[in-house]
Amino acid sequence: MQTRLFTLPLSLLLASSILSVCAGARAQGGEQRRKSETVRVPRFGERPVIDGRLEEEVWKHAAVLGGFYQTQPGDNTPPTYPTEVLLGYDPRHLYIAFRARDQAAGVRATVAKRDAVFDDDYVCAYLDTFNDRLKAYALYFNPLGVQADGILTEGRGEDLSVDIVMESKGVLTADGYTVEVAIPFKSLRYKAGPGRSWGVHFQRRIKRLDDELDSWMSISRDESGFLNQAGHLTGLEDLDAGRALELIPTLTLSESGRRVAVLPPRPAGAAPTHDPGRFVGDPVKQDVGLTAKLGITPDVTLDFAVNPDFAQVEADETVVTANQRFPIFFQEKRPFFLEGIDIFQTPLQPVHTRTIIAPDLAVKLTGKRGRDTFGLLFASDSGPGSATPAELSDPAALRRVARFLGRNAYVGVLRLKRETGEENYFGLTATSYNFVEKHNQLAGFDGRFRLGPQTVLFFQALGTTSRRFFFDPLLNRNLYRTGNGFGYVFGVTRAGRRFVYDFGGEGRTRDYRADAGFTRRADTNFLRLIATYNSEPKPKALLVSWRLRDFTSLRFDWSGRTQSLFEQVTAAFNLRRRVSFSFGASNDYERLYEWEFGAARGPRLAGAFAGDDPARTTYRKGLTASFSAAPGKRFSGFVNFGQNWGAFDLDRGAAPRYARVSPAALRDARAPLDPGPGSAVEVSANFTYQPTNALRASLDYSKSSLRRYDTGRLAFSDNIFSLRATYQFTRFTFARARLDYTTLGARVRGQYIVGWTPNPGTSLYAGYNDDLSYRGFSPFTGQFEPGFRRNGRTFFVKMSYLFRRDL
């Protein structure tokens, strides 16, 4: 059965390989014309006024870049409208101006918040300030000059969580729009001077014209990569490279309240008694912190934080947690850790700074010297040694955490990377995490190498040693011992005009631990093969482009036992007016083993699974469909639907709303786990409405449910609604509301904020967070409670100010 299910990819790969050779031969004979321009940036004698109008005399001395190509949906064809880029610099700033010709009535521009300009028209610059073809600053500006910025890493995409200080302004004109930008050199890490050059891309997006993308440099679809196809800037000499000091003091004032129990804990076996609880307010809390950044040189930075305020202004997304076996990844949002975060990011994620919960002290040194990039991070984290108010008020819970209270975890990270030729590097990573009864050390190497114009190889191998508690399924208990582990990942990608192949895999042994990073699953190996065919785009046709993809994977543990075999074929179609849809079908063989969930059966142990079989098997078939449209400025949305026949119910229930519904659990609620297949539905949808340039609202919906075959019972069902609305009074002043509701948890969470954010580092927020239950269950007795019940609320004011000066 396993072999029969997965014969298609081999035949597809063979046919695709033959066609790829033919396509490669055609590409060699018809290579697109490519600029190899190196532009010398002139030095300005005076600073232009950043008002977006380009009226100053100084702009007449700028370098002018024109002759853009349409690279999407066209293939280096003439653009619909011309674009020019003007460049200049002085010792402190790089100046960039864009002149985008267009029909005035067609330009899409809103008063958006930072990093939310991608539903507008925009222009952008990619600055590879070390010219290593591996990483670049990605800077975007909508027609009003609203900024979005981040780091583009070749092979990993963009990270827009990084913010830099710069000045920009845009103006709508009778024949399009103009944008003017001043970027302080002290906001960048760079190498400049005689004989040095920066890699650069300039691009423009026109949303209403099927997302047309115009590029100053032509982009060949016969060559993989983006930064390796950049143009170059020279002439950036005699810059003011003095050391810059940034200080950001922060102050957060908050007043919180929560519902607490009125009645004492009931004795075991006693009948439940309704406890309505009472609401208790905490005293006003003051958090004062300081973050400092010293630019030792233009390419080396020291960051230092004392009792930093890492409170998140925006809450994490509400996600489905029912029937989940493994941890859920959440992005880092805290400013101190976002500085230079790209240096620490590697494929196996041995560094994930959200494991540092509440640092009292943190210091970080990052930079690049010649071909060597380095990062060093240390943090003293008080988070693991703290307790919740509920734990402190419960004598039994307090005894469990007493030995941890007041103790800090110490986290250290070292990252080294050396470039070896163009677009290649070899790196080393080491981490250390130490807390009470939890010690973990990790070290390993990684690399990325371009094997040809279309082929890239990457890999990483890590070894870990840990002194901590490990669960032993043969003894059915945790043992405090030393455990050594190994993790690896590799991938080879060949990307051409029509065909893209991706072969790779990753794995972690059972005792692999990365306590300073993120690990979704251990004791597993995962191999994948992806073959994709892309059609030749036809910008003027109704069907602009289409894509066919086959994804095949095999997962097995380190004893060679199969965990899953999966294959999915997907077809996607892009139409005019930004309409797209896709369909997919999949086959999946999955096997669960009881020692992954608890005890392994033996002479004295019954095992984690009910019945005689220590494993469970399912053959799952699935269908997926998606549709998205953004026909105009006001409306956009998408719908994704998935149906799986044979998906596993892990038999954990979703208490208190859903009890376990397996045959074993229906006979005895305390029976061992009895996983079984069922019919699962997954839906996600979004509708966005923007009635004015300042107001934007969106509604997100997701659904996840599963009904078992053997009992016909609903194992769980969760519907999550998220309503968001933002009104931008100005580019820097806004009011924002967010409301999340989950039917499974019966929780309603609201967040309401008024903010002023003139630049990264300077901000003022005033907000209110609310947490309520609606027709939910009491956290004290588990009994159903009608109507609304408030569980907690917080008022807060958060302020920070960026002091920046040269030393």
Side-chain angles (χ1 to χ4, degrees):
M1 176 65 73
Q2 297 175 9
T3 302
R4 187 165 61 252
L5 282 172
F6 299 93
T7 55
L8 174 61
L10 298 178
S11 59
L12 176 64
L13 177 61
L14 178 60
S16 299
S17 299
I18 296 172
L19 292 173
S20 179
V21 172
C22 298
R26 290 196 300 270
Q28 290 177 5
E31 186 177 356
Q32 292 285 349
R33 180 172 64 90
R34 168 88 55 82
K35 292 176 183 173
S36 57
E37 293 188 31
T38 298
V39 176
R40 186 171 185 85
V41 183
R43 187 183 181 101
F44 284 175
E46 60 182 17
R47 186 184 193 276
V49 177
I50 305 302
D51 57 9
R53 301 187 183 280
L54 309 184
E55 296 174 344
E56 294 88 355
E57 182 72 18
V58 67
W59 283 115
K60 296 180 180 179
H61 305 287
V64 180
L65 285 59
F68 276 54
Y69 302 88
Q70 182 187 143
T71 59
Q72 293 178 9
D75 185 9
N76 295 320
T77 58
T80 305
Y81 297 100
T83 306
E84 289 183 341
V85 177
L86 288 71
L87 295 171
Y89 82 101
D90 64 23
R92 292 178 177 269
H93 297 85
L94 174 66
Y95 300 103
I96 306 175
F98 298 86
R99 185 177 286 118
R101 309 291 186 184
D102 204 339
Q103 296 177 0
V107 175
R108 293 188 184 178
T110 63
V111 186
K113 69 174 183 178
R114 189 186 188 99
D115 291 337
V117 304
F118 300 104
D119 288 328
D120 294 341
D121 293 347
Y122 61 81
V123 291
C124 57
Y126 297 90
L127 303 178
D128 180 0
T129 54
F130 291 98
N131 197 26
D132 56 17
R133 304 183 182 184
L134 296 173
K135 184 180 69 175
Y137 291 97
L139 313 176
Y140 303 87
F141 310 91
N142 81 350
L144 301 181
V146 180
Q147 304 168 6
D149 52 353
I151 299 293
L152 170 67
T153 303
E154 194 69 75
R156 288 207 305 264
E158 296 171 346
D159 180 1
L160 295 178
S161 61
V162 178
D163 294 326
I164 70 170
V165 177
M166 55 184 169
E167 187 179 357
S168 62
K169 186 68 181 295
V171 173
L172 300 178
T173 64
D175 60 349
Y177 62 93
T178 57
V179 174
E180 198 170 10
V181 184
I183 306 170
F185 287 113
K186 61 185 176 183
S187 293
L188 306 175
R189 299 182 181 193
Y190 63 90
K191 276 293 186 182
R196 291 192 174 273
S197 62
W198 291 5
V200 66
H201 275 296
F202 296 105
Q203 295 187 329
R204 174 191 179 186
R205 180 77 72 177
I206 308 176
K207 302 299 289 187
R208 75 182 187 281
L209 300 179
D210 302 320
D211 263 347
E212 177 178 325
L213 182 65
D214 301 332
S215 175
W216 174 58
M217 295 294 296
S218 62
I219 305 297
S220 173
R221 301 187 185 190
D222 294 311
E223 183 175 345
S224 69
F226 178 66
L227 297 180
N228 58 320
Q229 303 188 55
H232 293 88
L233 303 180
T234 63
L236 299 173
E237 303 173 3
D238 299 324
L239 305 183
D240 185 354
R243 290 180 295 173
L245 175 64
E246 295 183 3
L247 298 176
I248 306 178
T250 61
L251 171 64
T252 301
L253 304 175
S254 61
E255 191 277 328
S256 299
R258 67 189 188 282
R259 186 158 60 129
V260 299
V262 175
L263 303 178
R266 60 187 176 91
T273 303
H274 179 64
D275 186 347
R278 62 188 179 90
F279 204 81
V280 175
D282 294 330
V284 175
K285 181 181 178 181
Q286 302 179 20
D287 283 326
V288 180
L290 176 66
T291 299
K293 180 166 71 173
L294 175 63
I296 300 174
T297 67
D299 52 7
V300 178
T301 301
L302 175 66
D303 294 90
F304 183 77
V306 179
N307 194 29
D309 171 28
F310 289 132
Q312 291 178 212
V313 174
E314 294 190 35
D316 290 318
E317 299 287 339
T318 302
V319 297
V320 176
T321 58
N323 211 44
Q324 295 287 334
R325 291 181 63 188
F326 307 112
I328 298 173
F329 182 84
F330 291 100
Q331 294 286 347
E332 179 62 84
K333 298 181 180 180
R334 301 170 295 180
F336 173 84
F337 290 115
L338 291 175
E339 171 68 28
I341 193 173
D342 55 283
I343 294 175
F344 298 98
Q345 292 174 332
T346 60
L348 275 177
Q349 296 179 290
V351 180
H352 182 44
T353 51
R354 285 195 62 154
T355 58
I356 304 172
I357 304 169
D360 297 327
L361 171 70
V363 61
K364 179 170 51 178
L365 180 68
T366 55
K368 182 172 183 178
R369 305 293 289 177
R371 290 182 171 269
D372 299 315
T373 300
F374 60 89
L376 180 64
L377 169 66
F378 171 80
S380 175
D381 185 9
S382 63
S386 61
T388 65
E391 290 173 325
L392 294 175
S393 60
D394 183 345
L398 185 59
R399 284 193 296 272
R400 290 195 299 269
V401 302
R403 66 184 184 278
F404 304 122
L405 292 180
R407 306 290 293 274
N408 278 29
Y410 298 99
V411 184
V413 179
L414 173 66
R415 173 65 174 161
L416 301 173
K417 186 172 71 174
R418 181 171 180 82
E419 296 168 21
T420 57
E422 294 186 354
E423 305 176 60
N424 305 324
Y425 71 79
F426 185 84
L428 300 173
T429 300
T431 70
S432 176
Y433 186 100
N434 292 281
F435 186 59
V436 179
E437 299 175 349
K438 189 177 182 181
H439 305 276
N440 173 249
Q441 322 300 322
L442 174 151
F445 59 88
D446 63 288
R448 180 183 186 273
F449 296 90
R450 178 172 289 279
L451 306 181
Q454 297 180 337
T455 308
V456 175
L457 164 71
F458 74 89
F459 60 87
Q460 184 168 27
L462 297 173
T464 70
T465 182
S466 306
R467 184 69 178 169
R468 68 197 310 274
F469 282 99
F470 291 86
F471 179 75
D472 190 329
L474 297 176
L475 300 176
N476 194 27
R477 61 188 177 92
N478 289 313
L479 296 179
Y480 188 74
R481 63 176 177 84
T482 298
N484 299 319
F486 173 71
Y488 70 91
V489 63
F490 71 92
V492 180
T493 301
R494 180 179 175 83
R497 174 177 295 273
R498 298 286 186 89
F499 292 93
V500 179
Y501 302 104
D502 180 19
F503 174 69
E506 65 178 86
R508 298 169 179 86
T509 61
R510 177 172 295 186
D511 284 352
Y512 176 93
R513 297 293 185 272
D515 289 328
F518 178 81
T519 302
R520 180 165 173 80
R521 186 175 183 178
D523 192 18
T524 189
N525 297 273
F526 176 78
L527 299 177
R528 72 176 185 277
L529 173 63
I530 306 173
T532 305
Y533 175 82
N534 297 298
S535 72
E536 198 69 27
K538 299 178 180 179
K540 303 301 181 182
L542 175 62
L543 178 59
V544 177
S545 64
W546 58 274
R547 181 179 71 250
L548 181 65
R549 190 181 83 150
D550 184 277
F551 177 93
T552 304
S553 67
L554 167 65
R555 188 180 290 276
F556 55 95
D557 68 18
W558 284 78
S559 297
R561 293 175 289 244
T562 301
Q563 295 171 325
S564 71
L565 284 166
F566 177 81
E567 181 186 5
Q568 182 180 53
V569 178
T570 306
F573 305 89
N574 297 314
L575 308 181
R576 298 287 303 275
R577 298 183 62 81
R578 300 177 65 198
V579 175
S580 64
F581 62 93
S582 68
F583 302 97
S586 63
N587 282 324
D588 187 11
Y589 164 83
E590 186 175 5
R591 190 164 175 82
L592 306 179
Y593 302 94
E594 65 180 0
W595 48 84
E596 298 179 288
F597 295 81
R601 64 190 60 202
R604 299 183 180 181
L605 291 176
F609 285 176
D612 298 328
D613 192 350
R616 296 287 189 273
T617 298
T618 186
Y619 295 91
R620 182 169 60 182
K621 295 183 180 296
L623 291 177
T624 60
S626 67
F627 175 82
S628 66
K633 176 181 176 180
R634 290 191 174 187
F635 304 99
S636 65
F638 67 82
V639 177
N640 299 320
F641 173 80
Q643 172 76 59
N644 284 284
W645 294 273
F648 261 128
D649 166 37
L650 301 179
D651 194 29
R652 290 174 168 168
R657 189 167 296 273
Y658 293 96
R660 295 166 55 200
V661 296
S662 66
L666 292 180
R667 292 190 298 267
D668 180 358
R670 296 172 297 179
L673 296 178
D674 189 11
S679 177
V681 175
E682 301 282 346
V683 179
S684 62
N686 166 271
F687 175 72
T688 300
Y689 177 52
Q690 184 144 4
T692 70
N693 286 344
L695 176 62
R696 177 186 178 91
S698 66
L699 175 65
D700 290 274
Y701 168 72
S702 64
K703 177 183 180 62
S704 181
S705 67
L706 188 149
R707 186 177 295 275
R708 285 186 68 123
Y709 291 144
D710 46 18
T711 62
R713 301 289 187 92
L714 188 65
F716 69 91
S717 179
D718 195 6
N719 298 271
I720 299 175
F721 301 85
S722 296
L723 177 63
R724 305 181 189 186
T726 301
Y727 190 90
Q728 293 283 153
F729 300 100
T730 69
R731 283 178 55 186
F732 308 124
T733 308
F734 66 88
R736 187 181 308 154
R738 173 176 169 178
L739 197 64
D740 297 317
Y741 172 60
T742 168
T743 58
L744 180 59
R747 302 289 288 273
V748 181
R749 292 184 173 91
Q751 185 176 60
Y752 314 94
I753 300 175
V754 176
W756 174 68
T757 56
N759 60 58
T762 298
S763 62
L764 174 63
Y765 299 99
Y768 171 68
N769 297 337
D770 211 353
D771 181 2
L772 304 99
S773 295
Y774 174 65
R775 297 179 59 82
F777 293 84
S778 167
F780 315 117
T781 66
Q783 294 179 327
F784 178 78
E785 297 179 322
F788 284 98
R789 294 289 190 275
R790 172 169 280 115
N791 300 308
R793 55 108 179 101
T794 300
F795 296 92
F796 68 89
V797 175
K798 178 180 177 181
M799 60 194 79
S800 64
Y801 190 82
L802 170 63
F803 294 92
R804 196 179 212 190
R805 61 181 301 174
D806 295 330
L807 298 180

